[in-house]
Amino acid sequence: MITVNGRPVPSGGTLLDACKHAGAHVPTFCSDEKLPAGGHCRACMVDVGGRLMPACTTPCRDGMEILTETETVRQYRRDLGELMVAESNPRGAVKAELEKWGVTGERYGRAKPSGIHDESAPYLRLDTDACIRCHLCVRACSDIQGQFVYSMQGRGAGAHLGWGNVPFNETDCVSCGACVASCPTEAITDVDHLRQAADPLRTVQTTCAYCGVGCQMTVHARGNNVVDIQGAPSPVNAGHLCVKGRYAHGFARHRDRLTTPLIRRDGRLVPATWSEAISYVASRMNALKGHVGGLSSSRCTNEENYLLQKWLRAVYATNNVDCCARVCHAPSAAGMRVALGTGAATNSLADIELADLLMVSGSNTTEAHPVTGARIKQAVLRGAKLLVVDPRRTELAELADVHLQTRPGTNVPLLNSMACALVEAGLVNREFIHARTDGWEAYEKFIRQWRPESAEAITGVPATLVRRAAELYGRARHPMQVHGLGMTEHYQGAEGVMLLCNLALLVGAIGRPGVGVNPLRGQNNVQGAADMGCQPDLLTGYQNPNDPQVRERFERVWARPIPTTKGLTIPRMYEAIRRGELRGLYIFGEDVVQTDPHAGLVAETLKQLDLLVVQEIFLSETAKLAHVVLPGASFLEKDGTFTNGERRVQRVRQILDPPGDARPDWRILCDLMAATGYAQPFRHPSEIMDEIALVNPAFRGISHARLERNGLQWPVPSMDHPGTPTLHATTFPIGKGRLSCVEYLPSPSLKDAGDKLMLITGRTLAHYNSGSMTRRTDNVRIREADLLEINDEDAARLGVDDGAQVRVHNENGEAIATACVTDRVQPGTLFMTFHFPESGANCVTTDVVDRLCDCPEYKLTPVTVEPLRDGR
């Protein structure tokens, strides 16, 4: 036991911990809950038995008597403060604290301005005059983001904050804002901070609406505008955010927002009342009954996605409903269901801290899932091994112990050869295999044929690297896999995921913390949209509509018959439209004209519809073709839930009103259901979740009230269940895991490809999917156009200069982009982003799909590249 100002407190932790426990104020200028103690500022000195000791770094020992407000302590603080203002001009919290100490600046004088200011970056503002050399920004940049932009330059009184003697916008800064959140003196601020005033703010905690990481954030608003977003403590992001989550919120009040319904009259979309729009959609959908379908939104809430599929199934007796999981992670769900019985992440993102090896396959994680990417970087810096499977040399590939740089489209032979190397080296867990898997005998015979030396001719990856990767994976105690669209968006995407599962099953890396197979979900609620039943073969909770018990449950709650005939996937809907069989389509929050492959054909297909309804927040490329456009609400303007890539259901909370006459999307859907003869009783999204819990056993213990803190990871089978961070601890839903024997089948895209270059499409850090949100923020200052990465050798051969405009084309169409000559891609391989409509990236991608689940092959498109001359 120790005492703080005479008050007994338990010993343990540091002196600062003890003082906090006792409620005693101890000033700290270099402390951040997201970082370990640094001991740089020395403001936290306390009196321990007549000696001054730093509270943040001194461990408690029994019998200590701590005093925080003795005259010695107060005099020390005044001296420290006078030295601080002699060397800097701190503002913010530090300035306020120094004033409490009675610091006047008279003892040693005031610091002279250094004149080192930088406002070159889109979001950050730097003024080193206010820096007190607390090192928080340096440590936040290195220990949270892993970017190492800042350093303390010089020594002694001449030490100062630096960033490489270049304008700040030329550094490696990724605008995550961790430095701003840590800085106590306003030496580093951001544009949001500059917009704030003294008026009280409204504050809510909500879930980010960009990628599938599901970061928690605290949103501050004034009037009907967001003025600041900060990371909130959470198992998902631990208070950290990326440039999109923290700063790219301006789209919510952009002048392009849809504010009133639009109906096409005389070939033009013109404003209409809600009554007119709802009546028109209801009458036309009813007239086309039997010939309609719908696409749900991975940017909208679980409750809203549930309503859409319920409406289509209960009113129109059709399973023609799908979501964007079809074009990204449908192969993950399909492959994992075959191998493990459940098509979702087996583990939590927090398990990255427990892993001693991370295998990242087909994911540029630091750009597509930045907070998780930063987490992986930190794990590597702490000593975890890193394997990367990717045709590109990404940021993580540069950090990797082994980078397996495959030829595009050869994931299957590569993973088979790695499994073979595991078996040949005796690194498989035979006890786990015999206890928890089926098919070992046949699999062992099959896999021994895939020696790395034989596969090398197909994959281009040296056999020595494959064997090294297998050794690291097989010897790790906690090997954890994450994978992205570079694994799934292939002709054999689902089968590639089965092979990832094979690796985990072979070494027993399933069913415990720190291991597993974990798809990194692309959109904020793509997991939720699939969970809610927005797919043509499964109901809410992945339940089979042909199961009598399932059907009875839904029909009892819905009071309508449930259709049992399998519906159409997105590619099959397009085919049905061209045949005249599908005549009405309801698209909810997806811009398929920009994001689906063979975009020109998609646009021509949609023009054949008798009715196209688009529910959106902007007049997207798809909405421009609609007969009716319904203005919905952004995530800041409604309540509900999102489910992130680790199966965590989290709250979304309204802080703004929708602009103009726009409405929350759940309310629009309820109005349509009422107008089509199926009125719903819901007054709030929480009531919709209550119904979801009635039909989905995995959500039986979920309610809005239970999600208030950190959400819950499904399955949550009862109201007293804590959720399930780790799946398959003792068994699989299919009994035993299945080892899959998968032969390599070259993609049809390679047939007659000749000497064409192979195009991969993907994301960049600054933007998100179709760019409809990020292009309407200052993120366009970070990346203002789509780029085409091309290898130096190919560029020289084709006469393409770095920064020049190029034409990318094939029989499907053409795309225009700015060339980026680089060695990040191999000769023969290209990479292009798809965030700007004017580039037309998806005009060239093909309609080849995964042979098991219809996911388009975005990662392998044969194209020809030529420089544009005189703008042509």
Side-chain angles (χ1 to χ4, degrees), residues 105-116:
E106 296 175 356
R107 184 166 181 179
Y108 304 113
R110 289 277 182 177
K112 296 180 180 179
S114 68
I116 303 177

Side-chain angles (χ1 to χ4, degrees), residues 326-327 489-492 569-575 578 595-603 605 747-750 759 761 810-813 841-863:
R326 181 67 48 203
V327 298
E489 291 178 341
H490 287 283
Y491 180 60
Q492 286 191 283
T569 63
I570 294 173
R572 305 307 161 212
M573 286 190 203
Y574 294 152
E575 292 175 356
R578 292 193 285 271
T595 60
D596 278 17
H598 205 165
L601 180 60
V602 171
T605 298
S747 167
S749 295
L750 296 173
L759 174 67
T761 62
N810 57 18
E811 62 275 11
N812 288 345
N842 280 312
C843 290
V844 297
T845 47
T846 71
D847 48 12
V848 173
V849 296
D850 175 274
R851 67 198 201 100
L852 299 184
C853 59
D854 282 356
C855 177
E857 189 173 46
Y858 290 104
K859 307 305 182 189
L860 188 67
T861 301
V863 296

Side-chain angles (χ1 to χ4, degrees), residues 261 263 272-282 630 663 671-672 675:
I263 294 179
T273 66
W274 272 108
S275 177
E276 291 173 316
I278 294 294
S279 176
Y280 183 91
V281 173
L630 302 177
R663 293 181 179 179
D671 290 344
L672 281 168

Side-chain angles (χ1 to χ4, degrees), residues 96-126:
E97 185 69 25
L98 295 183
E99 289 174 351
K100 292 179 184 177
W101 296 354
V103 174
T104 63
E106 296 175 356
R107 184 166 181 179
Y108 304 113
R110 289 277 182 177
K112 296 180 180 179
S114 68
I116 303 177
H117 308 275
D118 194 306
E119 297 187 0
S120 61
Y123 295 116
L124 303 190
R125 301 292 181 262
L126 294 98

Side-chain angles (χ1 to χ4, degrees), residues 308-352:
L308 179 71
Q309 59 86 36
K310 179 182 180 181
W311 179 42
L312 290 167
R313 286 179 161 124
V315 175
Y316 299 107
T318 182
N319 284 315
N320 292 339
V321 57
D322 211 350
C323 68
C324 85
R326 181 67 48 203
V327 298
C328 59
H329 270 294
S332 288
M336 293 177 72
R337 275 200 295 266
V338 169
L340 309 176
T342 299
T346 62
N347 288 68
S348 304
L349 292 172
D351 284 7
I352 292 171

Side-chain angles (χ1 to χ4, degrees), residues 25-149:
H25 171 66
V26 175
T28 56
F29 298 156
C30 66
S31 177
D32 188 310
E33 291 182 355
K34 298 187 290 295
L35 295 166
H40 294 288
C41 74
R42 288 302 194 247
C44 66
M45 290 290 190
V46 293
D47 187 319
V48 182
R51 296 177 56 196
L52 294 183
M53 293 185 177
C56 69
T57 58
T58 304
C60 291
R61 293 191 300 273
D62 279 342
M64 281 184 165
E65 297 180 358
I66 304 169
L67 300 173
T68 63
E69 294 294 336
T70 66
E71 182 55 36
T72 301
V73 170
R74 287 193 287 269
Q75 183 59 51
Y76 167 81
R77 290 174 183 166
R78 284 193 294 271
D79 289 346
L80 177 66
E82 292 290 348
L83 286 169
M84 280 185 175
V85 298
E87 296 176 349
S88 64
N89 291 298
R91 296 185 291 271
V94 172
K95 179 182 179 182
E97 185 69 25
L98 295 183
E99 289 174 351
K100 292 179 184 177
W101 296 354
V103 174
T104 63
E106 296 175 356
R107 184 166 181 179
Y108 304 113
R110 289 277 182 177
K112 296 180 180 179
S114 68
I116 303 177
H117 308 275
D118 194 306
E119 297 187 0
S120 61
Y123 295 116
L124 303 190
R125 301 292 181 262
L126 294 98
D127 178 2
T128 61
D129 287 341
C131 178
I132 61 169
R133 301 191 293 276
C134 68
H135 291 243
L136 276 176
C137 61
V138 178
R139 297 170 60 219
C141 190
S142 62
D143 297 355
I144 296 175
Q145 180 59 37
Q147 215 62 25
F148 300 94
V149 171

Side-chain angles (χ1 to χ4, degrees), residues 421-429 470-475 506-507:
L422 281 170
V423 172
E424 288 186 342
L427 294 173
V428 297
N429 185 335
E471 181 182 8
L472 290 173
Y473 187 81
R475 294 193 183 282
L506 287 173
V507 301

